[in-house]
Amino acid sequence: MSILAWTYIMVIITFGLYLFIAWRSRVKETKGFYIAGASVPPLANGMATAADWMSAASFISMAGLISFMGYSGAVYLMGWTGGYVLLALLLAPYLRKFGKFTVPDFVGDRYYSSTARVVALICAIFVSLTYVAGQMRGVGIVFSRFLEVDVNTGVVIGMAIVFFYASLGGMKGITYTQVAQYCVLIVAFIICAAAISLKITGNPVPQLGFGSTIIEGESAGKYILQALDGIHKDLGFSEYTSAFGPGDMSMLSVICITLALMVGTAGLPHVIIRFYTVPSVKAARLSAGYALFFIALLYTTAPTLAAFARYSMIDSVNNTSYAEAPSWFKNWEQTGLVAWYDKDGDGIIRYRDGAPFQGPPQFSGEVGEYGQRLVTNSPTDNENELYIDRDIIVLASPEMANLSPWIIGLMAAGGLAAALSTASGLLIVISSSVSHDLYYRIINRQASEKQRMLVGRVMVGIGVLMAGYLGINPPGFVAQVVAFAFGLAASSFFPVIILGIFTKWVNREGAIAGMISGIGFTMFYILQTRFMGVDPWFFGITAEGIGTIGMLINFAVTMSVSKFTKAPPPEIQELVESVRTPRGAGTAIDH
């Protein structure tokens, strides 16, 4: 059976399962729509949290970044993993004890201010929209290759699916759909990595194969990382395992990106809100532990898949004639995510360090002498002739290793599960932020359940449209777009949540000033350096890492302003004292 047939089977079965779960979990009350009735068992919440957290960036793009960047790419793995531990240990039980529906709800009540609530709401929408853009882009990439439609059509299909089950079941429908999506994505990822590890090293356990020797080919007998170091050196790249050498990120950038990802994870509203869906503080702690285990299964496998894919990719195309290029190369070329510019006219594909031409590929619609799709971009003066979008590495890895078509179809279903699970969680954040925090808490306190549900579902629709637009016009690679979202979360939410839990003297004036200054600086820097052509001017820190500086600014402004303004009321200080004892939380409070 062909790859296309297997892909249709896998995608139809899994999508049918998601839609069935959404229909069975449909809700009519806001409590079910916002927090799944606070009745989700810890094991199910752990799986849903893992699926919510392991987005298209984790499943599709993280291994791609590690594969291209080598050691430096591990900042994404370290930052996201560390951030989850930070969230699970430092924030989750206390936020559950506070018992609100949303993060803006926490900020608004802790800082006794509608203005603080609105600022937090705006931050939540900015963070969520930035993040969801990466997910929709991931959906489009999967559909474009495996269902043979263009990326934009794939994004539209993903929008329709997400809108259906997010608007119908709210958080309850999303939670149980995410449980199914976790099962699909983790099975797909591990089976693929195990099959490639077995083929290259003879060891079916990827983590052990990572430290094993290659069993056949020119590099037979060499350890996989040793072989990659040698190949990289021969082709002009920095060594795969080198740190802070020529061509690598600076140590300061690595530290800043890792820290921004860590605290950004801890401040992500769609992950935080998951701890409101369990019945107690004890259940919140337990589900955080389950989620950490489920996440570790994928995160300990990703670096191995990255190395295997890098080796397979270079081995299969470098110094190969286009006429004899493997099928995966030509399949992905049709999606526009792979391109070849024959600079010397010899028909041989040469992969070297550097971009092959200026900007992303612009195809002319014509084919060249060897059948390749021609691009209109101006060539660069280096020897590299090959363009490969980093986001395809994981999805293309089973084809690169010539695995069975059913594994390729399963990998496509896994990629879709990862992207859709996180996208739906983010849409609920956008929906609940507007329908609950803005419409119900500020505009219309007399709104009925029916009115609030209607506003929530309308906001899901608006959120889907905005996410689809950003998915069709992405500002970067999936993981890099997501990294911006983490930077915005780090610079806006993390300081006010930490200080809101662990200090009694930080007040509303400080929180409002801190959030505005932190996210304002971070957004300004990202816009300058990513979209206006300005070089990174703050100690060379890249846009992905600037959230760390935004967070420090937020901390400094929040504490300074609080010191020179009126202390919080006594009842707020008593509330903070109560929250620090993370036991005895009831259900989320709708007031």
Side-chain angles (χ1 to χ4, degrees):
M1 200 179 295
S2 69
I3 293 174
L4 184 62
W6 273 112
T7 303
Y8 270 110
I9 290 172
M10 295 291 183
V11 171
I12 289 173
I13 290 175
T14 54
F15 275 30
L17 176 64
Y18 305 153
L19 297 177
F20 173 74
I21 293 173
W23 178 257
R24 292 295 303 267
S25 306
R26 60 191 186 279
V27 296
K28 297 180 179 178
E29 298 177 348
T30 51
K31 190 174 177 183
F33 193 83
Y34 295 148
I35 58 170
S39 60
V40 179
L43 181 61
N45 196 52
M47 297 177 80
T49 304
D52 213 353
W53 189 69
M54 288 191 295
S55 61
S58 295
F59 188 95
I60 297 175
S61 199
M62 182 177 68
L65 284 170
I66 296 174
S67 187
F68 277 78
M69 299 168 67
Y71 179 89
S72 298
V75 297
Y76 294 91
L77 190 150
M78 293 186 294
W80 287 331
T81 307
Y84 184 78
V85 174
L86 191 65
L87 172 64
L89 298 180
L90 197 60
L91 299 180
Y94 304 102
L95 290 170
R96 179 62 191 85
K97 177 73 181 291
F98 208 91
K100 299 299 176 185
F101 280 168
T102 65
V103 173
D105 227 4
F106 168 84
V107 173
D109 286 2
R110 164 58 183 86
Y111 294 105
Y112 49 98
S113 167
S114 294
T115 304
R117 184 187 303 277
V118 171
V119 173
L121 182 156
I122 293 170
C123 292
I125 292 175
F126 266 121
V127 171
S128 299
L129 277 178
T130 308
Y131 201 170
V132 81
Q135 311 313 308
M136 299 314 294
R137 171 73 174 167
V139 171
I141 289 172
V142 177
F143 275 123
S144 68
R145 164 63 191 94
F146 295 108
L147 298 186
E148 299 186 357
V149 298
D150 64 44
V151 173
N152 295 348
T153 304
V155 170
V156 173
I157 295 173
M159 290 166 61
I161 297 291
V162 171
F163 174 74
F164 179 82
Y165 68 76
S167 62
L168 196 66
M171 179 57 86
K172 185 177 180 183
I174 285 173
T175 296
Y176 291 104
T177 304
Q178 286 174 334
V179 171
Q181 287 167 333
Y182 175 77
C183 295
V184 172
L185 75 88
I186 198 67
V187 167
F189 202 87
I190 289 180
I191 284 180
C192 178
I196 297 176
S197 177
L198 180 64
K199 183 163 187 170
I200 294 178
T201 68
N203 194 323
V205 181
Q207 291 82 354
L208 298 179
F210 196 46
S212 303
T213 55
I214 297 168
I215 58 176
E216 61 182 21
E218 292 184 7
S219 300
K222 292 182 179 177
Y223 290 99
I224 183 73
L225 293 178
Q226 179 189 14
L228 280 173
D229 277 345
I231 292 170
H232 267 224
K233 193 173 180 180
D234 291 343
L235 300 182
F237 296 93
S238 60
E239 291 186 350
Y240 191 80
T241 58
S242 71
F244 316 125
D248 297 319
M249 285 192 288
S250 68
M251 184 182 295
L252 182 60
S253 279
V254 168
I255 291 172
C256 286
I257 293 174
T258 304
L259 192 55
L261 294 174
M262 283 182 66
V263 297
T265 299
L268 282 176
H270 75 293
V271 179
I272 290 174
I273 202 173
R274 288 238 54 91
F275 296 104
Y276 298 151
T277 66
V278 292
S280 66
V281 172
K282 181 180 179 181
R285 289 182 181 275
L286 196 56
S287 67
Y290 281 132
L292 187 58
F293 171 75
F294 294 137
I295 290 167
L297 290 179
L298 188 141
Y299 268 57
T300 57
T301 308
T304 70
L305 187 59
F308 295 144
R310 184 70 171 170
Y311 176 78
S312 298
M313 187 271 286
I314 296 176
D315 185 57
S316 62
V317 299
N318 184 46
N319 291 334
T320 300
S321 69
Y322 183 84
E324 297 175 351
S327 58
W328 72 263
F329 182 90
K330 295 180 179 177
N331 290 337
W332 282 98
E333 185 186 24
Q334 295 308 310
T335 68
L337 300 173
V338 168
W340 174 54
Y341 195 116
D342 191 16
K343 290 180 178 176
D344 52 12
D346 64 353
I348 304 295
I349 301 169
R350 287 191 170 76
Y351 183 51
R352 302 289 187 271
D353 190 23
F357 39 70
Q358 304 291 339
Q362 303 294 324
F363 293 94
S364 66
E366 300 176 351
V367 295
E369 178 182 357
Y370 304 100
Q372 79 275 24
R373 296 183 68 190
L374 294 178
V375 297
T376 58
N377 306 64
S378 300
T380 52
D381 57 5
N382 59 47
E383 296 182 7
N384 184 32
E385 300 178 340
L386 183 60
Y387 170 87
I388 294 186
D389 190 309
R390 299 176 183 185
D391 290 338
I392 75 166
I393 290 300
V394 167
L395 297 172
S397 60
E399 291 178 272
M400 292 175 182
N402 289 318
L403 299 184
S404 173
W406 71 267
I407 296 179
I408 299 170
L410 182 62
M411 203 63 174
L416 288 170
L420 294 176
S421 62
T422 304
S424 56
L426 292 162
L427 289 170
I428 284 296
V429 169
I430 296 170
S431 168
S432 59
S433 294
V434 175
S435 62
H436 179 72
D437 295 301
L438 181 63
Y439 176 69
Y440 177 60
R441 297 299 303 272
I442 296 177
I443 297 175
N444 184 7
R445 291 290 290 164
Q446 305 305 318
S448 65
E449 285 277 313
K450 189 176 180 180
Q451 289 174 311
R452 294 164 63 191
M453 289 288 290
L454 177 62
V455 173
R457 284 177 169 138
V458 168
M459 286 312 304
V460 169
I462 294 174
V464 165
L465 292 175
M466 296 175 74
Y469 174 80
L470 293 173
I472 291 170
N473 303 282
F477 295 112
V478 171
Q480 288 173 328
V481 173
V482 170
F484 298 153
F486 280 60
L488 296 176
S491 61
S492 57
F493 286 130
F494 185 74
V496 295
I497 292 175
I498 284 288
L499 294 172
I501 293 172
F502 294 102
T503 70
K504 294 189 288 187
W505 54 271
V506 170
N507 62 18
R508 65 184 172 193
E509 290 82 2
I512 294 169
M515 284 190 290
I516 292 174
S517 57
I519 199 169
F521 169 80
T522 305
M523 287 186 64
F524 176 70
Y525 193 87
I526 289 174
L527 290 172
Q528 270 193 319
T529 55
R530 293 293 301 181
F531 304 107
M532 298 170 65
V534 177
D535 291 330
W537 50 266
F538 195 87
F539 296 102
I541 297 173
T542 62
E544 291 88 346
I546 200 63
T548 297
I549 306 303
M551 175 195 67
L552 296 176
I553 291 173
N554 188 333
F555 268 118
V557 171
T558 301
M559 291 190 290
S560 299
V561 173
S562 295
K563 282 290 184 185
F564 294 101
T565 48
K566 187 178 178 181
E571 63 271 20
I572 295 298
Q573 298 190 40
E574 291 173 7
L575 175 65
V576 174
E577 189 71 37
S578 170
V579 167
R580 288 180 188 171
T581 305
R583 290 188 293 272
T587 57
I589 306 163
D590 181 17
H591 61 69

